[in-house]
Amino acid sequence: MLDIEADAPLSPSDAAHAHRLLALAHSLGVDPVGLDEAVHDAASEYASAAYNSGEDDDEGDRLHDEAGNQAAAINNGGLDQQMAYLVVQAGPEKTERIIREAAAWRS
């Protein structure tokens, strides 16, 4: 079973970045829905990396489906869960760009 969060525990540094970026998202009025696609994209990249050496297309499809389901659960958890996941998977700099793009799109 694929676990898109298993390899991504928050380090103290990541936790600090997630906290700072969560405050930024709130200050900019970012709606969690604005980050849904970024979470799904990160989960899809994780599934692709997990499957990278496989040759069974059905297995690749299954991993991507599972990653999508888990990404939906993260998205349903709101900004807190989204921020933690994106910081670990995409890094704090890219996560900040995603937040600012989501805020700009909303404006």
Side-chain angles (χ1 to χ4, degrees), residues 19-43:
H19 181 73
R20 176 182 63 81
L21 292 168
L22 181 61
L24 175 65
H26 284 299
S27 74
L28 295 174
V30 172
D31 186 322
V33 172
L35 301 180
D36 283 358
E37 186 175 338
V39 170
H40 274 278
D41 288 348

Side-chain angles (χ1 to χ4, degrees), residues 48-107:
S48 292
Y51 174 70
N52 197 23
S53 63
E55 295 180 13
D56 180 1
D57 287 340
D58 289 339
E59 178 67 9
D61 290 344
R62 188 190 67 70
L63 289 175
H64 278 88
D65 288 347
E66 182 61 30
N69 291 336
Q70 291 180 36
I74 291 168
N75 285 332
N76 288 339
L79 283 173
D80 290 349
Q81 288 186 17
Q82 290 173 315
M83 210 57 55
Y85 185 70
L86 288 172
V87 165
V88 171
Q89 293 298 330
E93 294 82 14
K94 184 173 180 181
T95 301
E96 183 170 345
R97 282 194 306 274
I98 291 166
I99 291 166
R100 292 188 183 281
E101 288 171 6
W105 183 80
R106 156 184 182 285
S107 299

